[in-house]
Amino acid sequence: MVRYLILALLPFLALFLQSTFFATYTLGGAVPDLVLIFVTFYALMNSAGKGAVYGFFCGLLEDLFTGRFVGMNAISKALVAYLVGRYQVNVFKENIIVGVGTVAVATLLNSIILFAVSLGMSEIFHVDSGVLTTVIYQIIYNSVLSVPLYLWYYNSVKSGWLRYNGER
Amino acid sequence: MLRLFKNWYFWLLVLLLVGALFLMSHTATHRENLSSIEKIIRETYTPMQRGVSTFKTRTGSWSGVFSDKGDLQREINELQKENQRLALENQFLREYRQEVDRLRILIGFEESNQDRLELLPARVIARSPGNWYRYLVIDRGLKDGLRKGMPVIHPSGLVGRVENVSNSSAQVSLLTDRETAVGVIVEETRDTSGIVEGLGNSRELRMINIPYYSQVKKGNRIVTSGLSISYPQGIYIGKVTSVIREPNGLLLTATVQPAVNFDRLEEVLVVTAFNREEFASVSEATEED
């Protein structure tokens, strides 16, 4: 029960921090995507299916918070989590480089999917090199933040609040 | 592959993605109101965001106590000089104002547009959590009389406009948002019209649709044209930093440095009312002249 409560609270807290603290302290104008980081970690520790469902609801929360183009983040985060979940069976999760590297790739994938979905839905975007710069900065920001977050998340899954079977 | 189709997570995901596409098609266009669930989520976050904003304001004022006395004295001296300069400028402007009022009476105009703006101060409590949209969340909402579409300004220039409103907060789309477009003119020449659009970064705007024969040049001031019903006339947007000719040769594009520092905004003013009919009549009269 505690595990589910924490899993529900993480994206809620992440959005709060993104819209307040991290929106002020940006890196090259880019805000980190903490929601995506937690979705990536969840998919990495679980299966593709579970990850995709978790990613979908986390993305939907972000969309409802933003109030525009609802469903865009839900789709992108579900697809990213699905892909991460498919690849996680072949990796050595104890290695922090795996966690950080997966977040970096997930951030790039998420941006590509968001961009593709926006174009597909005829959303108006003035596209220029600024978009690419923002994505690069976000990859760096997410990767840096994922170092302490992965350490906490991994340990929590192995022996803490987020442990798989039963309550603490 | 067949195993995938037997997995119930796969079908659940397909169902969710179809649902998301349906939602997107219904929310991609501009909506008048937020849905109930969006309002509930916004209202849940608002008190926490307001708390952070209050905390930052208070700790900001406390940190001032520990600032270096010499720095504070230098700041006071600079502000006193600035105050004297502005007081002097104000005297001249008052003279001009009286002259303008007399001329307005002579040619049958009503009083100045700027006198008709009704402003409501609001505090910035949050910002966009992502990079695709650029917006602010302010601590005023439906209960304060805010409505979608109201322009938002700052003493230094135009900020944007209210995109959607919940009971106690509102989302303000910034001028730098990729979806924002504002009708503008060059203040000095008054004969160049164009559209300023956001590029997603807070240091640069783009002015498009400028006729090739325009005399617009670096350093020109860009203000709202008032030709659209969304924004009052004459609100300062920024300065032209460069002008280039489009490949088709018929139009020019200018880069504009915004007057407002969007990264540091803490308070804004919402224009809750302005006399649009009057603005229209003034614009028409100007064009006829």
Side-chain angles (χ1 to χ4, degrees):
Chain A
M1 187 64 190
V2 177
R3 178 172 178 256
Y4 292 113
L5 188 69
I6 291 174
L7 286 174
L9 276 176
L10 280 178
F12 186 84
L13 185 68
L15 264 184
F16 171 65
L17 289 174
Q18 277 175 232
S19 65
T20 51
F21 182 80
F22 287 109
T24 312
Y25 299 101
T26 58
L27 180 70
V31 182
D33 196 339
L34 297 178
V35 179
L36 179 71
I37 293 175
F38 289 127
V39 166
T40 306
F41 290 167
Y42 183 84
L44 201 56
M45 301 293 167
N46 295 274
S47 65
K50 283 182 183 174
V53 173
Y54 184 65
F56 178 86
F57 284 108
C58 289
L60 189 64
L61 176 72
E62 193 170 347
D63 287 327
L64 293 171
F65 176 88
T66 306
R68 288 199 233 174
F69 218 35
V70 178
M72 189 163 76
N73 277 293
I75 286 180
S76 69
K77 288 192 168 64
L79 289 176
V80 168
Y82 184 80
L83 293 172
V84 170
R86 295 282 289 183
Y87 127 102
Q88 58 92 24
V89 285
N90 304 315
V91 297
F92 186 64
K93 291 171 212 165
E94 282 83 352
N95 191 342
I96 192 167
I97 295 170
V98 170
V100 177
T102 310
V103 166
V105 174
T107 309
L108 179 65
L109 278 175
N110 186 58
S111 303
I112 293 169
I113 295 168
L114 280 177
F115 186 65
V117 171
S118 308
L119 286 182
M121 297 295 285
S122 305
E123 176 76 331
I124 304 159
F125 275 128
H126 308 136
V127 181
D128 55 15
S129 59
V131 176
L132 188 64
T133 314
T134 306
V135 171
I136 292 168
Y137 275 119
Q138 195 184 40
I139 290 172
I140 297 168
Y141 211 165
N142 279 1
S143 304
V144 170
L145 288 176
S146 67
V147 175
L149 289 175
Y150 190 71
L151 288 173
W152 169 78
Y153 202 96
Y154 182 80
N155 288 325
S156 191
V157 167
K158 289 296 166 196
S159 57
W161 295 109
L162 294 173
R163 200 170 47 184
Y164 292 110
N165 46 351
E167 318 302 330
R168 282 188 74 199
Chain B
M1 192 70 182
L2 203 63
R3 208 173 52 186
L4 188 69
F5 292 126
K6 285 181 183 171
N7 188 340
W8 74 272
Y9 268 118
F10 173 77
W11 291 110
L12 180 64
L13 186 61
V14 170
L15 194 71
L16 290 175
L17 292 182
V18 171
L21 285 171
F22 176 77
L23 268 176
M24 278 166 65
S25 63
H26 279 74
T27 53
T29 50
H30 289 281
R31 294 176 291 161
E32 272 311 303
N33 290 310
L34 291 172
S35 64
S36 302
I37 188 157
E38 285 167 304
K39 282 182 182 166
I40 290 169
I41 289 173
R42 192 73 62 78
E43 289 302 303
T44 312
Y45 275 104
T46 301
M48 292 171 15
Q49 292 167 333
R50 195 176 277 151
V52 171
S53 175
T54 308
F55 177 76
K56 270 167 66 181
T57 311
R58 286 191 184 158
T59 49
S61 60
W62 271 104
S63 66
V65 174
F66 302 106
S67 297
D68 183 36
K69 200 180 168 189
D71 285 345
L72 289 174
Q73 192 57 51
R74 266 192 296 279
E75 200 172 328
I76 289 168
N77 291 341
E78 278 170 22
L79 287 172
Q80 279 174 342
K81 275 184 199 165
E82 178 80 0
N83 193 30
Q84 284 170 358
R85 192 184 63 76
L86 290 173
L88 196 66
E89 197 177 303
N90 204 20
Q91 281 181 27
F92 288 119
L93 289 174
R94 252 186 241 138
E95 286 296 314
Y96 280 126
R97 164 85 182 260
Q98 285 174 2
E99 194 179 328
V100 168
D101 285 346
R102 283 197 300 274
L103 291 170
R104 276 176 181 279
I105 291 166
L106 276 174
I107 58 174
F109 274 11
E110 296 291 317
E111 61 186 292
S112 167
N113 295 328
Q114 278 73 12
D115 294 338
R116 295 295 178 95
L117 298 182
E118 283 178 26
L119 302 171
L120 181 73
R123 203 168 51 162
V124 176
I125 57 169
R127 288 160 188 276
S128 161
N131 297 313
W132 292 95
Y133 299 113
R134 297 287 172 185
Y135 66 79
L136 302 172
V137 181
I138 55 173
D139 66 343
R140 303 279 190 172
L142 284 170
K143 66 181 172 61
D144 303 294
L146 258 65
R147 297 287 176 273
K148 182 186 162 116
M150 285 178 171
V152 179
I153 61 173
H154 182 264
S156 52
L158 183 67
V159 172
R161 67 176 187 154
V162 175
E163 186 65 33
N164 52 54
V165 195
S166 68
N167 197 35
S168 57
S169 68
Q171 195 185 90
V172 177
S173 271
L174 295 177
L175 202 53
T176 53
D177 189 290
R178 291 177 211 279
E179 289 192 345
T180 302
V182 184
V184 296
I185 54 168
V186 177
E187 193 179 58
E188 287 87 348
T189 59
R190 315 292 298 180
D191 63 348
T192 304
S193 62
I195 295 168
V196 158
E197 57 183 24
L199 297 171
N201 79 64
S202 48
R203 296 172 300 280
E204 205 174 81
L205 300 165
R206 184 162 54 196
M207 183 173 166
I208 57 168
N209 287 3
I210 311 169
Y212 71 93
Y213 50 80
S214 166
Q215 297 301 308
V216 62
K217 59 179 189 291
K218 187 179 173 183
N220 280 161
R221 286 165 60 91
I222 305 299
V223 296
T224 51
S225 64
L227 294 175
S228 76
I229 58 164
S230 305
Y231 300 96
Q233 188 182 23
I235 307 287
Y236 184 40
I237 285 179
K239 271 187 181 165
V240 174
T241 53
S242 66
V243 183
I244 54 159
R245 190 179 287 267
E246 287 290 302
N248 61 21
L250 295 174
L251 296 168
L252 303 176
T253 296
T255 307
V256 177
Q257 184 184 13
V260 175
N261 185 348
F262 294 98
D263 296 331
R264 293 270 174 263
L265 275 179
E266 288 181 8
E267 282 98 23
V268 292
L269 299 161
V270 183
V271 182
T272 52
F274 64 96
N275 193 332
R276 285 171 180 162
E277 289 77 22
E278 188 183 310
F279 283 114
S281 68
V282 170
S283 306
E284 280 164 19
T286 313
E287 277 171 12
E288 282 167 19
D289 292 345

